Amino acid sequence: MKRIYAKEDYCIGCRLCEIYCIFQHSGCDTLVKAFSQKDCLPDPAVRVEEDGAISFALQCRHCDDAPCVAACISGAMTRDPETGAIKHDPDKCIGCWSCVMVCPFGAIQINLEKGKVSSKCDLCGGDVMPACVAHCPNEALVYE
Amino acid sequence: MALSVLAPEFIIKRDPDLCIECGVCSRQCSFDTHTIDPEDGSITSDAIRCCGCQRCASLCPTGALTIIERELTGRSHPNWTLGAQRNIARQAETGGMLLTGMGSDKPYKNIWDHLVLNASQVTNPSIDPLREPMELRTYLGSKPDRVEFDDDGNLLSEIGPLLELDVPIMFSAMSYGSISLNACKSLAAAAAQSGTYFNTGEGGLHRDLYQYSDRAIVQVASGRFGVNPEYLAHSAAVEIKIGQGAKPGIGGHLPGEKVTADISQTRMIPMGADAISPAPHHDIYSIEDLKQLIYALKEATNYTKPISVKIAAVNNVIPIASGCVRAGADIVAIDGVRGGSGATPTVIRDNVGIPIEFAIAAVDSQLRKENIRNQASIVAAGGFRNSADIMKAIALGADAVYIGTSALIALGCHMCQKCYTGKCTWGIATQDPYLTKRLNPEIGTRRAANLLRAWGLEMKEMLGGMGMDSIDSLRGNREMLRGIGLTKEELEILDVAPAGM
């Protein structure tokens, strides 16, 4: 399956990947409109990790042996048989955080208020170029 | 220290309806112009810090930022312009020379804009470059006085080492130190892809660039940085740098803080030590001395590589260029007053040297008069903005050109002229690892190679329009040029007829 890879040598820490991830999952037509609704903005499923000059964008790796799927007690985490992407169903999620604890990359974001998984990379459906990759200004994210 | 009385040079306009307070502007500005309030996440901008590089405006996802040059305010005076007053105030505050980067921004008459190219109409039909082969291939180096063949057509004459260019445009000398390694890699790979050459400048050749040895022109400057047999071996040609267009008669200085471990190894100097290239080569005080160095380098490279001498265009460029050729230079590179720089005293950049247009025409004419034009190729440098400028330079007598500033613009440079600060927001003229990664060499290579390809296509189109199928037919062909709005003396030096004649 195709995955998103980060080239830390060329990540400039601008965080446009986070911004476009939020926009992509906001359901709004324009970026400005999306960000004007601050209260109901989704959390980004990609996070830029930074330490000095080192930075890279991290999102779900869609592991072959996905520990989050194995640990999910409610069946909210499943693998899409067509794209291979790990998907999260918020209706089934009971907020036990088992997936968060077993994820070796810390790629699953939680929402304490709602008591659920708040965001997880879904590869933007898998058919198109994920928003984070498409809007990376330095080609530090590749989808292959 | 008293508060600065200098007003900001730029105005930062932030459209509140468009700003989503994402903070990209703040994270991208290496001059700390935009600050995010840690409490409420709001962003404020301090215009006095802005250098006008446009990085924030370019990366703002909603186009909320506009950076515009601020009109200097104050009582205007024809002699004491507001710019002149500002510079005095800056020097009164700092007590130092005003430094600058890039080429001169003085509005000297640009001769390229006063020359027009010819085109064929009925009698000598034009050629369609989409249907006919069009030759831009150029060979740089010394050519024999005459070519002799034996009865079977085999070449008898000995031809010296030549540089073969698929397009008569090379990347100017820009050292590793003045620009980042990623910028060097971009230019080197683009040169290799495009069948041309890049120039190491006076900073040595980084080992990562050894793979492009056959596309490298290595420089031997007064500081002799990085020069050793291995360096000379990893090159296609060797260039002795005497002068630079932006600073004729002035040496180079890379401050110690920019001499990182990698640069120290490449330049062969201690880490953190200032890299000073003296204004003169301390073993060259005459053409005879220059000849000794040219032949020392020819010996060191077993006469397998052309030797170039790069000089700045100055008043007596004619005898100097002639002397260089007679001293054995295979290529004479001449850099005009609009030549670029990473760091130069502003007063030198803006007031010393002569425009490349006159230098090229005058040198080409003189070498022809002396019957030594074939002994060396002429490379012109200093402010080439487009393919038409290059065509005009070739018609005035240049064999090829060096491009520096336009190559950097292709990589992303926005001409903020703050190269000397080492804070280049576009990751080009900096060694800060946080900033250098902003230039992905894969993207840089693609963009620089695209520029050469685009200019090559345009040059072929212009050649076809003149009814020529080879750039060789244009070289020194002043008949293909006409002057508009030039004085009689200027036309005479250029050896170009006025339009209508």
Side-chain angles (χ1 to χ4, degrees):
Chain A
M1 67 172 286
K2 282 171 94 175
R3 286 192 173 87
I4 298 169
Y5 296 96
K7 294 182 175 177
E8 66 171 78
D9 285 349
Y10 305 125
C11 171
I12 61 175
C14 64
R15 303 195 171 196
L16 280 170
C17 49
E18 293 182 9
I19 292 157
Y20 280 97
C21 180
I22 293 170
F23 173 42
Q24 176 77 20
H25 296 93
S26 69
C28 290
D29 306 339
T30 68
L31 228 165
V32 177
K33 200 168 152 192
F35 277 79
S36 65
Q37 305 161 356
K38 281 196 173 161
D39 297 338
C40 49
L41 273 182
D43 282 347
V46 53
R47 298 271 181 168
V48 174
E49 302 283 341
E50 267 185 288
D51 185 9
I54 300 165
S55 61
F56 57 89
L58 181 75
Q59 62 286 87
C60 171
R61 311 312 305 145
H62 301 280
C63 311
D64 289 335
D65 61 345
C68 56
V69 175
C72 182
I73 57 173
S74 67
M77 288 283 184
T78 51
R79 184 183 297 278
D80 185 315
E82 282 181 22
T83 65
I86 307 295
K87 288 190 155 183
H88 173 254
D89 182 348
D91 293 336
K92 288 186 183 171
C93 180
I94 55 166
C96 69
W97 311 140
S98 301
C99 56
V100 177
M101 285 188 282
V102 296
C103 175
F105 301 102
I108 302 170
Q109 315 301 331
I110 58 174
N111 184 325
L112 287 173
E113 281 175 26
K114 291 181 186 166
K116 293 204 178 191
V117 164
S118 69
S119 71
K120 196 204 135 294
C121 173
D122 58 359
L123 293 176
C124 293
D127 300 330
V128 292
M129 186 69 81
C132 55
V133 180
H135 292 92
C136 177
N138 206 30
E139 295 179 11
L141 287 173
V142 290
Y143 186 49
E144 54 190 30
Chain B
M1 201 178 104
L3 189 73
S4 171
V5 293
L6 290 168
E9 286 181 87
F10 297 93
I11 296 171
I12 301 167
K13 287 187 177 175
R14 184 185 296 273
D15 187 334
D17 292 337
L18 293 178
C19 180
I20 57 171
E21 296 181 342
C22 62
V24 171
C25 52
S26 167
R27 287 187 285 274
Q28 290 300 296
C29 183
S30 51
F31 293 90
D32 298 326
T33 303
H34 311 285
T35 314
I36 307 174
D37 187 311
E39 284 177 11
D40 64 4
S42 64
I43 302 173
T44 49
S45 302
D46 182 4
I48 195 82
R49 293 169 178 270
C50 177
C51 70
C53 74
Q54 304 291 339
R55 178 83 184 179
C56 57
S58 299
L59 264 72
C60 174
T62 59
L65 283 168
T66 311
I67 311 294
I68 49 173
E69 219 167 347
R70 186 170 171 274
E71 207 176 314
L72 295 178
T73 49
R75 181 159 185 169
S76 61
H77 188 291
N79 186 43
W80 298 99
T81 60
L82 292 166
Q85 290 181 46
R86 185 184 174 87
N87 281 348
I88 291 173
R90 281 173 69 196
Q91 293 194 288
E93 279 183 11
T94 61
M97 284 195 287
L98 294 177
L99 281 183
T100 190
M102 310 310 289
S104 176
D105 47 22
K106 275 217 169 181
Y108 290 123
K109 185 174 183 175
N110 192 316
I111 304 300
W112 304 130
D113 291 339
H114 291 270
L115 289 173
V116 284
L117 287 159
N118 191 31
S120 322
Q121 293 301 300
V122 177
T123 51
N124 177 23
S126 46
I127 302 169
D128 184 350
L130 295 175
R131 292 184 169 80
E132 306 285 338
M134 201 59 75
E135 192 67 84
L136 292 183
R137 181 153 297 154
T138 299
Y139 291 92
L140 298 183
S142 179
K143 283 115 187 175
D145 292 342
R146 61 178 61 80
V147 185
E148 290 172 22
F149 299 89
D150 65 14
D151 294 339
D152 299 328
N154 298 314
L155 185 68
L156 290 174
S157 309
E158 198 178 321
I159 311 276
L162 297 169
L163 291 183
E164 185 183 323
L165 282 69
D166 290 345
V167 57
I169 309 169
M170 301 186 288
F171 294 126
S172 284
M174 287 174 276
S175 69
Y176 173 38
S178 73
I179 58 172
S180 68
L181 186 59
N182 282 348
C184 292
K185 283 180 185 172
S186 303
L187 297 176
Q193 257 182 39
S194 311
T196 184
Y197 298 84
F198 72 102
N199 191 312
T200 61
E202 54 182 342
L205 183 70
H206 190 276
R207 283 181 177 274
D208 285 1
L209 302 179
Y210 277 14
Q211 56 180 308
Y212 306 112
S213 294
D214 58 341
R215 292 288 149 193
I217 299 175
V218 299
Q219 248 190 14
V220 175
S222 60
R224 301 288 192 267
F225 297 125
V227 179
N228 62 14
E230 190 184 340
Y231 172 71
L232 298 177
H234 280 97
S235 72
V238 182
E239 182 167 274
I240 300 167
K241 181 206 165 181
I242 302 290
Q244 186 178 338
K247 42 182 171 181
I250 301 288
H253 181 187
L254 185 72
E257 60 262 28
K258 290 189 190 170
V259 182
T260 59
D262 233 13
I263 290 177
S264 106
Q265 199 175 24
T266 307
R267 291 207 175 201
M268 294 162 42
I269 54 171
M271 215 171 120
D274 284 22
I276 295 175
S277 285
H281 286 245
H282 287 310
D283 52 359
I284 301 178
Y285 288 92
S286 65
I287 290 294
E288 288 73 18
D289 291 346
L290 176 66
K291 186 175 186 172
Q292 281 199 15
L293 181 57
I294 290 174
Y295 278 91
L297 291 171
K298 286 191 177 189
E299 282 285 343
T301 53
N302 287 324
Y303 294 82
T304 56
K305 294 170 189 189
I307 307 294
S308 167
V309 176
K310 181 183 174 186
I311 53 173
V314 287
N315 301 357
N316 52 344
V317 65
I318 300 173
I320 294 168
S322 170
C324 291
V325 179
R326 290 176 186 281
D330 301 299
I331 299 166
V332 179
I334 310 175
D335 197 8
V337 73
R338 282 185 290 270
S341 164
T344 296
T346 314
V347 70
I348 303 291
R349 183 196 72 174
D350 290 349
N351 299 286
V352 183
I354 65 169
I356 189 64
E357 300 92 316
F358 293 117
I360 289 302
V363 167
D364 177 63
S365 298
Q366 182 65 22
L367 296 186
R368 283 175 198 277
K369 269 184 214 155
E370 294 182 20
N371 281 327
I372 53 170
R373 180 65 184 85
N374 63 305
Q375 288 179 21
S377 295
I378 300 175
V379 175
F384 289 103
R385 304 159 299 174
N386 52 50
S387 55
D389 285 357
I390 296 171
M391 291 293 275
K392 292 170 190 176
I394 290 172
L396 283 181
D399 289 85
V401 302
Y402 270 138
I403 57 164
T405 305
S406 42
L408 294 189
I409 292 172
L411 297 189
C413 166
H414 277 56
M415 195 70 74
C416 72
Q417 306 188 4
K418 290 284 186 285
C419 325
Y420 63 95
T421 64
K423 290 184 175 181
C424 176
T425 54
W426 293 88
I428 300 167
T430 177
Q431 303 306 323
D432 179 343
Y434 182 71
L435 300 172
T436 54
K437 63 200 297 206
R438 292 183 179 187
L439 177 61
N440 178 340
E442 280 177 33
I443 300 176
T445 302
R446 195 162 66 223
R447 293 177 62 90
N450 272 346
L451 179 73
L452 293 186
R453 179 178 182 273
W455 282 7
L457 289 172
E458 290 175 345
M459 290 169 78
K460 286 179 180 176
E461 202 69 47
M462 282 183 268
L463 267 185
M466 288 185 240
M468 297 173 179
D469 61 3
S470 158
I471 197 80
D472 272 336
S473 311
L474 180 67
R475 189 156 300 113
N477 189 344
R478 320 279 174 93
E479 189 50 38
M480 290 298 120
L481 291 174
R482 286 293 182 273
I484 295 175
L486 295 172
T487 65
K488 202 176 166 192
E489 289 80 12
E490 287 167 339
L491 288 168
E492 209 170 287
I493 296 165
L494 296 169
D495 194 15
V496 168
M501 281 183 73

